[in-house]
Amino acid sequence: MIRVRGLGRSGRRCAAPVAAAVAALLLSGCSGGGDALSLGSLQEKAAKIGGDGAADCPLAYDLAGAAKTAGVSLAAGPGDTQGEEPAVTAEDGREAPEGSAWAANPGALVTCTFHLGQEDVEVHTVATEKVQALSVLAPVAQRAAGIGIDDLRTFLKDAAAAKKGVPVVAKSGNVAAARLGLDGSGDASLLLTVGDSGKSGLGAEQVGALAKALAGQLG
């Protein structure tokens, strides 16, 4: 089941003040292992990647396989289409300053960037000690979707209420989220963005199927 909701496109960096406000209102190019996802393991991966980024996704995402499942025939590869940014970036919430979203809900984020044909694809994997992990990525989702705070709140609420592995897709069709299972305590989500500013050559059903397939690869 794929649910389409009002949303639209992503940015790689999280704006902590916006994320904190929203929280109050309420990953083929991978080289990573098949170990179970946990808050601790994601924090360790984020710490290893550090501030300089990395070339290889440390999570077991196979975008080419997910694209095939989603009925997308475009060629998949690591990194964005321009090759100007690191293919992998991360944030270790244990190093967060006071007052940030991470300080309120400690966790970690690993972002793996790919491309499908000429479409840039970002797979954000976030885990936190408490719900809702996805709220940390609120600014990313908002920029990707090009939506206002009310629509963003609705998207986050719908995504949080969905069953694990069931994607919620933005109305714009290029952003999707899916809750992830964790080994141990905590909360985790995947946020997928395809294209930019609410625009993508992929249909909403394809984006939803892509998010579902990627989430299943970590199961």
Side-chain angles (χ1 to χ4, degrees):
M1 178 179 67
I2 296 173
R3 301 188 298 171
V4 179
R5 290 292 184 266
L7 227 204
R9 162 71 209 159
S10 135
R12 194 166 283 113
R13 301 296 177 189
C14 295
V18 177
V22 174
L25 285 172
L26 308 171
L27 280 192
S28 150
C30 289
S31 63
D35 54 321
L37 181 67
S38 69
L39 174 57
S41 69
L42 195 66
Q43 287 174 322
E44 291 174 4
K45 287 176 171 61
K48 186 175 181 179
I49 292 166
D52 294 331
D56 298 318
C57 182
L59 297 166
Y61 290 127
D62 174 7
L63 185 62
K68 184 177 181 181
T69 299
V72 179
S73 59
L74 299 172
D80 62 24
T81 54
Q82 301 300 316
E84 297 175 349
E85 300 289 339
V88 184
T89 58
E91 294 182 25
D92 182 354
R94 294 172 295 187
E95 305 298 327
E98 184 177 353
S100 70
W102 290 124
N105 193 5
L109 166 67
V110 172
T111 298
C112 298
T113 302
F114 305 93
H115 60 271
L116 278 172
Q118 293 303 307
E119 298 276 6
D120 286 341
V121 176
E122 291 180 357
V123 185
H124 305 270
T125 305
V126 61
T128 54
E129 291 183 358
K130 302 174 290 185
V131 296
Q132 306 171 24
L134 190 62
S135 66
V136 176
L137 291 172
V140 175
Q142 187 174 29
R143 283 193 296 269
I147 55 172
I149 192 68
D150 290 340
D151 288 334
L152 177 64
R153 188 191 303 116
T154 298
F155 173 74
L156 295 176
K157 180 179 178 181
D158 290 345
K163 293 182 179 180
K164 291 179 181 178
V166 177
V168 173
V169 185
K171 184 177 182 180
S172 62
N174 75 314
V175 175
R179 295 179 58 227
L180 300 173
L182 273 183
D183 182 13
S185 61
D187 186 53
S189 286
L190 173 152
L191 180 71
L192 171 71
T193 71
V194 184
D196 190 26
S197 300
K199 299 177 181 178
S200 172
L202 273 62
E205 291 293 325
Q206 290 177 312
V207 172
L210 196 60
K212 182 177 181 179
L214 289 167
Q217 291 172 358
L218 295 187

